[in-house]
Amino acid sequence: MGLTSAQVLAVDSGGSGLRVALAPAHGDGPTLTWSSPEPVPVGDRGIDARALLDRVLPAARELLRQAGADGCAAVCVGAAGMVTLGDDLRAVLPGALSAEVGAPRLALASDAVTAYAGALGQRPGAVIAAGTGLVALGTDLVPGGGWRRSDGWGHLLGDSGGGAWIGRAGLEAALRAYDGRAGGSAALLARLEAVFGPAPDLPGALYPRPDRAAVLASFAPEVGRCAAACPVAAGILRSAARHIAGAAAAVCRPPEQGGPSARTPAVALTGGLAGIGDPLLLPLRQELRKQLPHARPVAAAGTPLDGASRIAAALVTDRLLLPVDGALLRVTTGTPSTAPPGHTLR
């Protein structure tokens, strides 16, 4: 595989599914993609590495076949929960991916890092990755500065303002209306019943599901659709905007705190939550101006999958500027081509 034809593999694993891309490291050809709406399961060791490999490897082989390539120069795997649930991924993926796709360089990243790279590339600032969950990540890109992270604690303990948080708040308001309690929303109750069926059946349908966060997040667009005519729904989105901006403010320092050469930081929102549109984005813009007057809001340049491709390409060209650490972004090189126990190579 020549330098100009080097291919990089990018993987984006999150609450709303799994996405894979194969792209030329130097941008001299098309990007090929594959996706699945089914999230990778979580087991006793966290994110199930073998379940991820069972789906990524066939997709990678097919994309390599389509590209006429026999291997990859680098791989970047970005995963939601990499920091707290990534032990199995860190133990299994380096050997398996080296053996299966011939990748001598591997980056294992939090989905917040790939979201950052996709939205801002390699410049200082903050990115709010807002989809099913929510996490904010910031860096000054100064020596020893590292990453600053806020929220990303999952739908049971945090992710405040994210899709599951909004969906849950909307469903709670609907159930208050069903009970006749104060603060309920008849409009949201009507949407609950249209989407999920009778309100009393919702707990039994929701609680046993392993993808509860994604199910909750699926109701967030309904909150957005109701917001124009429903004060309760509009209030939920205003609260979400305050949480989102607050997470960004926690990781985005004013330039003077980063040293005399610091540039004005950029702040971007990425992820599916932006699809709610103005009912969320208008109050969010107000909150960003209020809570981050020192930052410059910008549109995200790309997706977390794009960010994973950028990181992998930077490994090939030795131009990775983003902070490397043991949790948010880990890089390995020259991994022996050995398969993990229990995983059969082709």
Side-chain angles (χ1 to χ4, degrees), residues 23-334:
H26 299 273
D28 52 352
T31 296
L32 305 175
T33 61
W34 172 92
S35 65
S36 166
E38 183 181 352
V40 176
V42 177
D44 293 341
R45 295 195 62 194
I47 303 165
D48 191 326
R50 288 167 184 81
L52 183 145
L53 287 170
D54 285 342
R55 295 163 64 192
V56 166
L57 291 178
R61 293 174 194 136
E62 174 58 22
L63 295 179
L64 286 166
R65 185 195 68 77
Q66 292 178 28
D70 55 8
C72 297
V75 178
C76 176
V77 178
M82 179 70 77
V83 175
T84 54
L85 300 171
D87 287 349
D88 200 32
L89 298 183
R90 287 185 283 268
V92 171
L93 293 190
L97 289 172
S98 176
E100 287 289 319
V101 299
R105 302 174 182 89
L106 170 69
L108 298 179
S110 163
D111 62 331
V113 170
T114 54
Y116 190 104
L120 295 184
Q122 301 197 85
R123 55 175 165 163
V127 167
I128 312 127
T132 299
L134 185 135
V135 62
L137 199 67
T139 180
D140 300 320
L141 288 183
V142 296
W147 294 104
R148 292 182 297 278
R149 174 179 175 269
S150 177
D151 212 337
W153 299 116
H155 73 287
L156 294 178
L157 298 175
D159 288 355
S160 299
W165 186 96
I166 292 172
R168 175 174 174 167
L171 292 171
E172 288 176 348
L175 294 176
R176 286 196 296 271
Y178 180 84
D179 290 342
R181 290 180 284 147
S185 166
L188 290 172
L189 176 59
R191 296 312 306 154
L192 181 159
E193 292 175 337
V195 174
F196 296 111
D201 296 343
L202 180 61
L206 176 65
Y207 291 164
R209 293 187 60 151
D211 59 345
R212 286 186 302 273
V215 175
L216 291 170
S218 72
F219 196 69
E222 303 294 340
V223 179
R225 295 184 187 106
C226 291
C230 174
V232 173
I236 290 170
L237 296 180
R238 285 195 299 271
S239 295
R242 285 192 294 272
H243 284 300
I244 295 169
V251 302
C252 188
R253 298 186 300 185
E256 61 269 21
Q257 294 184 26
S261 63
R263 292 175 283 169
T264 299
V267 59
L269 175 72
T270 186
L273 203 62
I276 290 178
D278 284 349
L280 174 65
L281 297 180
L282 291 178
L284 178 57
R285 291 185 192 115
Q286 295 173 353
E287 287 294 330
L288 289 173
R289 286 194 295 268
K290 177 181 177 181
Q291 298 191 44
L292 289 91
H294 54 276
R296 178 170 57 91
V298 300
T303 67
L305 186 61
D306 296 326
S309 291
R310 288 182 176 183
I311 291 171
L315 293 180
V316 175
T317 59
D318 292 323
R319 294 178 179 174
L320 183 63
L321 303 178
L322 298 176
V324 174
D325 60 24
L328 286 166
L329 178 58
R330 176 179 295 192
V331 173
T332 61
T333 58

